[in-house]
Amino acid sequence: MPRNISTPSPESGARKRRSTAVTLDESARALFQAAVADVVPLAFDRIHHEPNPPLPIPRQHFRDERAALAESLTAHDQMALALEGGDEPVYLKSGMSPKVLKDLRRGRWVIQAELDLHGMNRDEARHHIALFLAECRTYRHRCVRIVHGKGLGSPGRVPVLKRLVLGWLAQRKEVLAYCQARSSDGGAGALIVLLTA
């Protein structure tokens, strides 16, 4: 009589493999635990970050700034300023930057008030200039025009009043700079004057 041979089912084989794997895993884990039983874990309570590198120092920029400041504070030769504009009358107070005069010449300042000296003698002109400058200070006018004329009505057509006005303005502490007006503003018969604030 034939023997009853039972073939293992696929499920029983898988169970056997799983139990063997679990036994191996448990034994490997137990072996590892025994090997590292006296080891103390390292404790990291801080994370070290490299600091940001310092910002670059713009040394050349600082040198340029100091040079520009020194140049603006240096008293410039009035002859050089006069030559730059030809025969035009110019004045720049000591310590002021030549850029101030260039801006004045180019019309970058808005003319806020005007004084016309036509028909006045020297005493009247001087008196009116003093009153005009005082009034400009009161109203905080910075850029003004003073019309002195070209001297066409003077004996010998010499602009006497023009020369006097140039000297008077250069002596006034509130005058920072002046230059001959552009042709549209009176040309050789007028001055554009920059006053202190």
Side-chain angles (χ1 to χ4, degrees), residues 55-139:
L55 294 173
I57 300 170
R59 289 190 176 92
Q60 184 60 47
H61 174 73
F62 292 151
R63 283 194 288 268
D64 292 343
E65 290 291 318
R66 283 194 298 271
L69 179 62
E71 181 184 336
S72 70
L73 296 176
T74 304
H76 294 277
D77 185 14
Q78 294 295 322
M79 182 60 78
L81 291 172
L83 289 174
E84 185 182 318
D87 294 334
E88 300 173 4
V90 291
Y91 168 76
L92 184 65
K93 193 170 197 166
S94 178
M96 296 296 296
S97 169
K99 187 178 182 309
V100 172
L101 193 57
K102 284 181 183 176
D103 288 345
L104 197 63
R105 277 186 173 141
R106 292 176 182 166
R108 292 191 177 158
W109 287 88
V110 176
I111 298 172
Q112 298 170 301
E114 179 180 305
L115 173 66
D116 191 345
L117 302 174
H118 276 107
M120 296 184 192
N121 62 32
R122 68 178 65 199
D123 294 329
E124 291 170 337
R126 187 168 195 168
H127 177 70
H128 278 87
I129 286 175
L131 290 176
F132 176 68
L133 294 178
E135 186 178 303
C136 289
R137 268 191 94 124
T138 303
Y139 292 106

Coordinates of all heavy atoms in Angstrom, one line a residue, residues 55-139:
L55 N 33.3 91.5 6.5 CA 33.1 92.2 5.2 C 34.4 92.9 4.8 O 35.2 93.3 5.6 CB 32.1 93.3 5.5 CG 30.7 92.8 5.8 CD1 29.8 94.0 6.1 CD2 30.1 92.1 4.6
P56 N 34.6 93.0 3.5 CA 35.9 93.6 3.0 C 35.9 95.1 3.4 O 34.9 95.8 3.5 CB 35.8 93.5 1.5 CG 34.4 93.2 1.2 CD 33.8 92.6 2.4
I57 N 37.1 95.6 3.7 CA 37.2 97.0 4.0 C 37.6 97.8 2.8 O 38.6 97.6 2.1 CB 38.4 97.2 5.1 CG1 38.1 96.4 6.3 CG2 38.6 98.7 5.4 CD1 39.2 96.3 7.3
P58 N 36.7 98.7 2.4 CA 36.9 99.5 1.1 C 37.9 100.6 1.3 O 37.6 101.8 1.4 CB 35.5 100.0 0.8 CG 34.9 100.2 2.1 CD 35.4 99.1 3.0
R59 N 39.2 100.2 1.5 CA 40.2 101.2 1.8 C 40.4 102.3 0.7 O 40.6 103.4 0.9 CB 41.6 100.5 2.0 CG 41.6 99.7 3.3 CD 43.0 99.2 3.6 NE 43.0 98.6 4.9 CZ 42.8 97.3 5.1 NH1 42.6 96.5 4.1 NH2 42.8 96.8 6.3
Q60 N 40.3 101.8 -0.6 CA 40.5 102.8 -1.7 C 39.3 103.8 -1.7 O 39.5 105.0 -2.0 CB 40.5 102.1 -3.1 CG 40.8 103.0 -4.2 CD 42.1 103.7 -4.1 OE1 43.1 103.1 -3.8 NE2 42.1 105.0 -4.4
H61 N 38.1 103.3 -1.4 CA 36.9 104.2 -1.3 C 37.2 105.3 -0.2 O 36.9 106.4 -0.4 CB 35.7 103.4 -1.0 CG 34.5 104.2 -0.8 ND1 33.8 104.9 -1.8 CD2 33.8 104.5 0.4 CE1 32.8 105.6 -1.3 NE2 32.8 105.3 0.0
F62 N 37.7 104.8 0.9 CA 38.0 105.8 2.0 C 39.0 106.8 1.6 O 38.9 108.0 1.9 CB 38.4 105.1 3.3 CG 37.3 104.2 3.9 CD1 37.7 103.1 4.6 CD2 36.0 104.6 3.8 CE1 36.7 102.3 5.2 CE2 35.0 103.8 4.4 CZ 35.3 102.7 5.1
R63 N 40.0 106.3 0.9 CA 41.1 107.3 0.4 C 40.5 108.3 -0.6 O 40.8 109.5 -0.5 CB 42.2 106.5 -0.2 CG 43.2 105.8 0.7 CD 44.4 105.3 0.1 NE 44.2 104.2 -0.8 CZ 44.3 102.9 -0.4 NH1 44.7 102.6 0.8 NH2 44.1 102.0 -1.3
D64 N 39.6 107.8 -1.5 CA 39.0 108.7 -2.4 C 38.1 109.7 -1.7 O 38.1 110.9 -2.1 CB 38.2 107.9 -3.4 CG 39.0 107.0 -4.4 OD1 40.2 107.3 -4.5 OD2 38.4 106.1 -5.0
E65 N 37.4 109.3 -0.7 CA 36.5 110.2 0.0 C 37.4 111.3 0.7 O 37.0 112.5 0.7 CB 35.7 109.5 1.0 CG 34.6 108.6 0.4 CD 33.5 109.4 -0.2 OE1 33.1 110.4 0.4 OE2 33.1 109.0 -1.3
R66 N 38.5 110.9 1.4 CA 39.3 111.8 2.1 C 39.9 112.8 1.1 O 40.0 114.0 1.3 CB 40.4 111.1 2.8 CG 39.9 110.5 4.1 CD 41.1 110.1 5.0 NE 41.9 109.1 4.4 CZ 41.7 107.7 4.5 NH1 40.7 107.3 5.2 NH2 42.6 106.9 4.0
A67 N 40.4 112.3 -0.1 CA 41.0 113.2 -1.1 C 39.9 114.2 -1.6 O 40.3 115.4 -1.8 CB 41.5 112.4 -2.3
A68 N 38.7 113.8 -1.9 CA 37.7 114.7 -2.3 C 37.3 115.7 -1.3 O 37.2 116.9 -1.6 CB 36.4 113.9 -2.7
L69 N 37.3 115.3 0.0 CA 37.0 116.3 1.1 C 38.2 117.3 1.2 O 37.9 118.5 1.3 CB 36.9 115.6 2.4 CG 36.6 116.4 3.6 CD1 35.3 117.2 3.4 CD2 36.6 115.6 4.9
A70 N 39.4 116.8 1.1 CA 40.6 117.7 1.2 C 40.5 118.7 0.0 O 40.8 119.9 0.2 CB 41.8 116.9 1.2
E71 N 40.2 118.2 -1.2 CA 40.1 119.1 -2.4 C 39.1 120.2 -2.2 O 39.2 121.3 -2.6 CB 39.9 118.3 -3.6 CG 39.9 119.1 -4.9 CD 39.5 118.3 -6.1 OE1 39.7 117.0 -6.1 OE2 39.0 118.8 -7.1
S72 N 37.9 119.8 -1.6 CA 36.8 120.7 -1.5 C 37.1 121.8 -0.5 O 36.6 122.9 -0.5 CB 35.5 120.0 -1.2 OG 35.6 119.5 0.1
L73 N 38.0 121.5 0.5 CA 38.3 122.4 1.6 C 39.5 123.3 1.3 O 39.8 124.2 2.0 CB 38.5 121.7 2.9 CG 37.3 121.0 3.4 CD1 37.6 120.2 4.7 CD2 36.1 122.0 3.7
T74 N 40.3 122.9 0.2 CA 41.5 123.6 -0.1 C 41.1 124.9 -0.8 O 40.2 125.0 -1.7 CB 42.3 122.8 -1.1 OG1 42.6 121.6 -0.4 CG2 43.6 123.5 -1.4
A75 N 41.8 126.0 -0.4 CA 41.5 127.3 -1.0 C 42.2 127.2 -2.4 O 43.3 126.9 -2.6 CB 42.2 128.4 -0.2
H76 N 41.4 127.6 -3.4 CA 41.9 127.5 -4.8 C 42.3 128.9 -5.2 O 41.7 129.9 -4.8 CB 40.8 127.0 -5.7 CG 40.5 125.6 -5.4 ND1 41.2 124.5 -5.9 CD2 39.6 125.0 -4.6 CE1 40.8 123.4 -5.5 NE2 39.7 123.6 -4.7
D77 N 43.2 128.9 -6.1 CA 43.8 130.2 -6.6 C 42.7 130.9 -7.4 O 42.2 130.3 -8.4 CB 45.0 129.8 -7.5 CG 45.7 131.1 -8.0 OD1 45.4 132.2 -7.5 OD2 46.5 131.0 -8.9
Q78 N 42.4 132.1 -7.1 CA 41.4 132.9 -7.8 C 41.8 133.1 -9.2 O 40.9 133.2 -10.1 CB 41.2 134.2 -7.1 CG 40.6 134.1 -5.7 CD 39.2 133.5 -5.7 OE1 38.4 133.8 -6.6 NE2 38.9 132.7 -4.8
M79 N 43.1 133.2 -9.5 CA 43.5 133.4 -10.9 C 43.2 132.2 -11.7 O 42.7 132.4 -12.9 CB 45.1 133.6 -10.9 CG 45.6 133.9 -12.3 SD 44.9 135.3 -13.1 CE 45.8 136.6 -12.3
A80 N 43.3 131.0 -11.2 CA 43.0 129.8 -11.9 C 41.5 129.8 -12.2 O 41.0 129.4 -13.3 CB 43.3 128.5 -11.2
L81 N 40.7 130.2 -11.3 CA 39.2 130.3 -11.5 C 38.9 131.3 -12.6 O 38.0 131.1 -13.4 CB 38.5 130.6 -10.2 CG 38.5 129.5 -9.2 CD1 37.9 130.1 -7.9 CD2 37.8 128.3 -9.6
A82 N 39.6 132.4 -12.6 CA 39.3 133.5 -13.6 C 39.7 133.0 -15.0 O 39.0 133.3 -15.9 CB 40.1 134.7 -13.2
L83 N 40.9 132.3 -15.0 CA 41.3 131.8 -16.3 C 40.4 130.7 -16.9 O 40.2 130.7 -18.1 CB 42.7 131.2 -16.2 CG 43.8 132.2 -16.0 CD1 45.2 131.4 -15.7 CD2 44.0 133.1 -17.1
E84 N 39.8 130.0 -16.0 CA 38.8 128.9 -16.4 C 37.6 129.6 -17.1 O 37.1 129.0 -18.1 CB 38.3 128.1 -15.2 CG 37.4 127.0 -15.6 CD 37.0 126.3 -14.3 OE1 37.8 126.1 -13.4 OE2 35.8 126.0 -14.3
G85 N 37.2 130.7 -16.7 CA 36.0 131.4 -17.3 C 36.4 132.5 -18.3 O 35.6 133.2 -18.7
G86 N 37.7 132.6 -18.6 CA 38.1 133.7 -19.5 C 38.2 135.0 -18.8 O 38.7 135.1 -17.7
D87 N 37.7 136.1 -19.4 CA 37.7 137.4 -18.7 C 36.5 137.7 -17.8 O 36.4 138.8 -17.3 CB 37.8 138.5 -19.8 CG 39.1 138.4 -20.6 OD1 40.1 137.9 -20.0 OD2 39.1 138.8 -21.8
E88 N 35.7 136.7 -17.6 CA 34.5 136.9 -16.8 C 34.9 137.1 -15.4 O 35.8 136.5 -14.9 CB 33.6 135.7 -17.0 CG 33.1 135.5 -18.4 CD 32.3 134.2 -18.5 OE1 32.1 133.5 -17.4 OE2 31.9 133.8 -19.6
P89 N 34.2 138.0 -14.7 CA 34.4 138.2 -13.3 C 33.9 137.0 -12.5 O 32.8 136.5 -12.7 CB 33.7 139.4 -12.9 CG 32.6 139.5 -13.9 CD 33.1 138.9 -15.2
V90 N 34.7 136.4 -11.6 CA 34.3 135.3 -10.7 C 34.9 135.5 -9.3 O 35.9 136.2 -9.1 CB 34.9 134.0 -11.2 CG1 34.2 133.6 -12.5 CG2 36.4 134.0 -11.4
Y91 N 34.2 135.0 -8.4 CA 34.6 135.0 -7.0 C 34.2 133.7 -6.3 O 33.0 133.2 -6.5 CB 34.0 136.2 -6.2 CG 34.2 136.1 -4.7 CD1 35.4 136.4 -4.2 CD2 33.2 135.7 -3.9 CE1 35.6 136.3 -2.8 CE2 33.3 135.7 -2.5 CZ 34.6 135.9 -2.0 OH 34.8 135.9 -0.6
L92 N 35.1 133.1 -5.5 CA 34.7 131.9 -4.8 C 35.4 132.1 -3.4 O 36.6 132.3 -3.3 CB 35.3 130.7 -5.4 CG 34.9 129.3 -4.8 CD1 33.4 129.1 -4.8 CD2 35.7 128.2 -5.5
K93 N 34.5 132.1 -2.4 CA 35.0 132.2 -1.0 C 36.0 131.2 -0.7 O 35.9 130.0 -1.1 CB 33.8 132.2 -0.1 CG 34.1 132.6 1.3 CD 32.9 132.8 2.1 CE 33.1 133.6 3.4 NZ 31.9 134.1 4.0
S94 N 37.0 131.5 0.1 CA 38.1 130.6 0.5 C 37.4 129.4 1.2 O 36.6 129.5 2.1 CB 39.0 131.3 1.4 OG 40.0 130.4 1.9
G95 N 37.9 128.2 0.8 CA 37.3 127.0 1.5 C 36.2 126.3 0.7 O 35.8 125.2 1.0
M96 N 35.7 127.0 -0.3 CA 34.5 126.5 -1.1 C 35.1 125.6 -2.2 O 36.1 125.9 -2.8 CB 33.6 127.6 -1.6 CG 33.0 128.4 -0.5 SD 31.8 127.5 0.5 CE 30.6 127.0 -0.8
S97 N 34.3 124.6 -2.6 CA 34.7 123.7 -3.7 C 34.5 124.4 -5.0 O 33.5 125.2 -5.2 CB 33.8 122.5 -3.6 OG 34.0 121.7 -4.8
P98 N 35.4 124.2 -6.0 CA 35.2 124.8 -7.3 C 33.9 124.3 -8.0 O 33.4 125.0 -8.9 CB 36.4 124.3 -8.1 CG 37.4 123.9 -7.1 CD 36.6 123.5 -5.9
K99 N 33.4 123.2 -7.6 CA 32.1 122.7 -8.1 C 31.0 123.6 -7.9 O 30.1 123.7 -8.7 CB 31.8 121.3 -7.5 CG 30.7 120.6 -8.1 CD 30.5 119.2 -7.4 CE 29.3 118.5 -8.0 NZ 28.1 119.1 -8.1
V100 N 31.0 124.4 -6.8 CA 30.0 125.4 -6.5 C 30.0 126.4 -7.6 O 28.9 126.8 -8.1 CB 30.3 126.0 -5.1 CG1 29.3 127.2 -4.9 CG2 30.2 125.0 -4.0
L101 N 31.2 126.9 -8.0 CA 31.2 127.9 -9.0 C 30.8 127.4 -10.4 O 30.1 128.0 -11.1 CB 32.7 128.5 -9.1 CG 32.8 129.7 -9.9 CD1 32.0 130.9 -9.4 CD2 34.3 130.2 -9.8
K102 N 31.2 126.1 -10.7 CA 30.8 125.5 -11.9 C 29.3 125.4 -12.0 O 28.7 125.7 -13.0 CB 31.4 124.1 -12.1 CG 32.9 124.1 -12.4 CD 33.5 122.7 -12.6 CE 34.9 122.8 -12.8 NZ 35.6 121.5 -12.9
D103 N 28.7 124.9 -10.9 CA 27.2 124.8 -10.9 C 26.5 126.2 -11.1 O 25.5 126.3 -11.7 CB 26.7 124.2 -9.6 CG 27.1 122.7 -9.5 OD1 27.4 122.1 -10.6 OD2 27.0 122.1 -8.4
L104 N 27.1 127.2 -10.5 CA 26.6 128.6 -10.6 C 26.7 129.1 -12.0 O 25.7 129.6 -12.6 CB 27.3 129.5 -9.6 CG 26.7 130.8 -9.3 CD1 25.4 130.6 -8.6 CD2 27.6 131.7 -8.4
R105 N 27.8 128.8 -12.6 CA 28.0 129.2 -14.0 C 27.0 128.5 -15.0 O 26.6 129.1 -16.0 CB 29.4 128.9 -14.5 CG 30.4 129.9 -14.1 CD 31.8 129.5 -14.7 NE 32.7 130.5 -14.5 CZ 34.0 130.3 -14.3 NH1 34.4 129.1 -14.2 NH2 34.8 131.3 -14.1
R106 N 26.8 127.2 -14.7 CA 25.9 126.4 -15.6 C 24.4 126.7 -15.4 O 23.6 126.1 -16.1 CB 26.2 125.0 -15.4 CG 27.6 124.6 -15.9 CD 28.0 123.2 -15.6 NE 29.3 122.9 -16.1 CZ 30.0 121.9 -15.8 NH1 29.5 120.9 -15.0 NH2 31.3 121.7 -16.2
G107 N 24.1 127.5 -14.4 CA 22.7 127.8 -14.2 C 21.9 126.8 -13.4 O 20.7 126.7 -13.6
R108 N 22.6 126.0 -12.6 CA 22.0 125.0 -11.9 C 21.2 125.5 -10.6 O 20.5 124.8 -10.0 CB 23.0 123.9 -11.5 CG 23.5 123.1 -12.7 CD 24.3 121.9 -12.3 NE 24.6 121.2 -13.5 CZ 25.6 120.4 -13.6 NH1 26.4 120.1 -12.5 NH2 25.9 119.7 -14.7
W109 N 21.5 126.7 -10.3 CA 20.8 127.4 -9.2 C 19.6 128.2 -9.7 O 19.8 128.9 -10.7 CB 21.7 128.3 -8.4 CG 22.7 127.5 -7.5 CD1 23.9 127.1 -7.9 CD2 22.6 127.1 -6.2 NE1 24.5 126.4 -6.9 CE2 23.7 126.5 -5.8 CE3 21.5 127.3 -5.2 CZ2 23.9 125.9 -4.5 CZ3 21.7 126.8 -4.0 CH2 22.9 126.1 -3.6
V110 N 18.5 128.2 -9.1 CA 17.4 129.0 -9.5 C 17.5 130.4 -8.9 O 17.7 130.6 -7.7 CB 16.1 128.3 -9.0 CG1 14.9 129.2 -9.3 CG2 15.9 126.9 -9.5
I111 N 17.4 131.4 -9.8 CA 17.5 132.8 -9.3 C 16.2 133.1 -8.6 O 15.1 133.0 -9.2 CB 17.7 133.7 -10.5 CG1 19.1 133.4 -11.2 CG2 17.7 135.2 -10.1 CD1 19.3 134.1 -12.5
Q112 N 16.3 133.6 -7.3 CA 15.2 133.8 -6.5 C 14.8 135.3 -6.3 O 13.7 135.6 -5.9 CB 15.4 133.2 -5.1 CG 15.6 131.6 -5.2 CD 16.0 131.0 -3.9 OE1 17.1 131.4 -3.4 NE2 15.2 130.1 -3.3
A113 N 15.8 136.1 -6.6 CA 15.5 137.6 -6.4 C 16.5 138.4 -7.3 O 17.5 137.8 -7.7 CB 15.7 138.0 -5.0
E114 N 16.2 139.6 -7.6 CA 17.0 140.4 -8.5 C 17.0 141.9 -8.0 O 16.1 142.4 -7.4 CB 16.4 140.4 -9.9 CG 17.2 141.2 -10.9 CD 16.5 141.2 -12.2 OE1 16.4 140.0 -12.8 OE2 16.2 142.2 -12.8
L115 N 18.2 142.5 -8.2 CA 18.4 143.9 -7.9 C 19.0 144.6 -9.1 O 20.0 144.1 -9.7 CB 19.4 144.1 -6.7 CG 19.8 145.5 -6.4 CD1 18.6 146.3 -5.9 CD2 20.9 145.5 -5.3
D116 N 18.3 145.7 -9.6 CA 18.8 146.4 -10.7 C 19.3 147.7 -10.3 O 18.6 148.5 -9.6 CB 17.6 146.6 -11.7 CG 18.0 147.2 -13.0 OD1 19.2 147.6 -13.2 OD2 17.2 147.1 -14.0
L117 N 20.6 148.0 -10.6 CA 21.3 149.2 -10.1 C 21.4 150.3 -11.2 O 22.0 151.3 -11.0 CB 22.7 148.8 -9.7 CG 22.9 147.8 -8.6 CD1 24.3 147.4 -8.3 CD2 22.2 148.3 -7.3
H118 N 20.7 150.1 -12.3 CA 20.7 151.1 -13.4 C 20.3 152.4 -12.8 O 19.3 152.6 -12.1 CB 19.8 150.7 -14.5 CG 20.4 149.7 -15.5 ND1 20.1 148.4 -15.5 CD2 21.4 149.9 -16.4 CE1 20.8 147.8 -16.5 NE2 21.6 148.7 -17.0
G119 N 21.0 153.5 -13.2 CA 20.7 154.9 -12.9 C 21.1 155.3 -11.5 O 20.9 156.4 -11.1
M120 N 21.8 154.4 -10.7 CA 22.2 154.8 -9.4 C 23.7 155.2 -9.4 O 24.5 154.7 -10.2 CB 22.1 153.6 -8.4 CG 20.7 153.1 -8.2 SD 20.7 151.7 -7.0 CE 19.0 151.1 -7.2
N121 N 24.0 156.1 -8.5 CA 25.5 156.5 -8.3 C 26.1 155.4 -7.3 O 25.4 154.6 -6.8 CB 25.6 157.9 -7.8 CG 25.0 158.1 -6.5 OD1 24.9 157.3 -5.6 ND2 24.5 159.4 -6.3
R122 N 27.4 155.6 -7.1 CA 28.1 154.6 -6.2 C 27.5 154.5 -4.8 O 27.4 153.4 -4.3 CB 29.6 154.8 -6.2 CG 30.0 156.0 -5.5 CD 31.5 156.2 -5.5 NE 32.0 156.4 -6.9 CZ 33.2 156.2 -7.3 NH1 34.2 155.9 -6.4 NH2 33.6 156.4 -8.5
D123 N 27.2 155.6 -4.2 CA 26.6 155.5 -2.8 C 25.3 154.9 -2.8 O 25.0 154.1 -1.9 CB 26.6 157.0 -2.2 CG 27.9 157.6 -2.1 OD1 28.9 156.8 -1.8 OD2 28.1 158.8 -2.2
E124 N 24.4 155.2 -3.7 CA 23.1 154.6 -3.8 C 23.2 153.1 -4.0 O 22.5 152.3 -3.4 CB 22.2 155.3 -4.9 CG 21.9 156.7 -4.6 CD 21.2 157.4 -5.8 OE1 21.5 156.9 -6.9 OE2 20.5 158.4 -5.6
A125 N 24.1 152.8 -5.0 CA 24.3 151.3 -5.3 C 24.7 150.5 -4.1 O 24.2 149.4 -3.8 CB 25.3 151.2 -6.5
R126 N 25.7 151.1 -3.4 CA 26.2 150.3 -2.2 C 25.1 150.2 -1.2 O 25.0 149.1 -0.6 CB 27.4 151.1 -1.6 CG 28.1 150.3 -0.5 CD 29.5 150.9 -0.2 NE 30.2 149.9 0.6 CZ 31.5 150.0 0.8 NH1 32.2 151.0 0.4 NH2 32.1 149.1 1.6
H127 N 24.4 151.2 -0.9 CA 23.3 151.2 0.1 C 22.2 150.2 -0.3 O 21.8 149.4 0.5 CB 22.7 152.6 0.2 CG 21.5 152.6 1.1 ND1 21.6 152.5 2.5 CD2 20.2 152.8 0.9 CE1 20.5 152.6 3.1 NE2 19.5 152.8 2.1
H128 N 21.8 150.2 -1.6 CA 20.8 149.2 -2.1 C 21.3 147.8 -2.0 O 20.5 146.9 -1.8 CB 20.3 149.6 -3.5 CG 19.3 150.7 -3.5 ND1 19.7 152.1 -3.4 CD2 18.0 150.7 -3.4 CE1 18.6 152.8 -3.4 NE2 17.5 152.0 -3.4
I129 N 22.6 147.6 -2.3 CA 23.1 146.2 -2.2 C 23.0 145.7 -0.8 O 22.6 144.6 -0.6 CB 24.6 146.1 -2.8 CG1 24.6 146.3 -4.3 CG2 25.3 144.9 -2.3 CD1 25.9 146.3 -4.9
A130 N 23.4 146.5 0.2 CA 23.3 146.1 1.6 C 21.9 145.8 2.0 O 21.7 144.8 2.6 CB 23.9 147.2 2.5
L131 N 21.0 146.6 1.6 CA 19.5 146.4 1.9 C 19.1 145.1 1.2 O 18.3 144.3 1.8 CB 18.7 147.6 1.4 CG 18.8 148.9 2.2 CD1 18.0 150.0 1.6 CD2 18.4 148.6 3.7
F132 N 19.4 144.9 0.0 CA 19.0 143.8 -0.8 C 19.5 142.5 -0.2 O 18.8 141.5 0.0 CB 19.5 143.9 -2.3 CG 19.2 142.7 -3.1 CD1 17.9 142.4 -3.5 CD2 20.2 141.9 -3.6 CE1 17.6 141.4 -4.3 CE2 19.9 140.9 -4.5 CZ 18.6 140.6 -4.8
L133 N 20.8 142.4 0.2 CA 21.4 141.2 0.8 C 20.7 140.9 2.1 O 20.5 139.7 2.5 CB 22.9 141.4 0.9 CG 23.7 141.4 -0.4 CD1 25.2 141.6 -0.1 CD2 23.4 140.2 -1.3
A134 N 20.4 142.0 2.9 CA 19.7 141.8 4.2 C 18.3 141.2 4.0 O 17.9 140.3 4.7 CB 19.6 143.1 5.0
E135 N 17.7 141.7 3.0 CA 16.3 141.2 2.6 C 16.4 139.7 2.2 O 15.6 138.9 2.5 CB 15.7 142.0 1.5 CG 14.3 141.7 1.2 CD 13.7 142.6 0.2 OE1 13.7 143.9 0.4 OE2 13.3 142.1 -0.9
C136 N 17.4 139.4 1.4 CA 17.6 138.0 0.9 C 17.8 137.0 2.1 O 17.4 135.9 2.1 CB 18.8 137.9 -0.1 SG 18.4 138.7 -1.7
R137 N 18.6 137.5 3.1 CA 18.8 136.7 4.3 C 17.5 136.4 5.0 O 17.2 135.3 5.4 CB 19.8 137.3 5.2 CG 21.2 136.9 5.0 CD 22.1 137.4 6.1 NE 22.2 136.3 7.1 CZ 23.4 135.9 7.5 NH1 24.5 136.4 7.0 NH2 23.4 134.9 8.4
T138 N 16.7 137.5 5.1 CA 15.4 137.3 5.8 C 14.5 136.3 5.1 O 13.9 135.5 5.7 CB 14.7 138.7 5.8 OG1 15.5 139.7 6.4 CG2 13.3 138.6 6.5
Y139 N 14.5 136.4 3.7 CA 13.6 135.4 3.0 C 14.3 134.1 2.6 O 13.8 133.3 1.9 CB 13.1 136.1 1.7 CG 12.1 137.2 2.1 CD1 12.4 138.6 2.0 CD2 10.8 136.9 2.5 CE1 11.5 139.6 2.3 CE2 9.9 137.9 2.9 CZ 10.3 139.2 2.7 OH 9.4 140.2 3.1

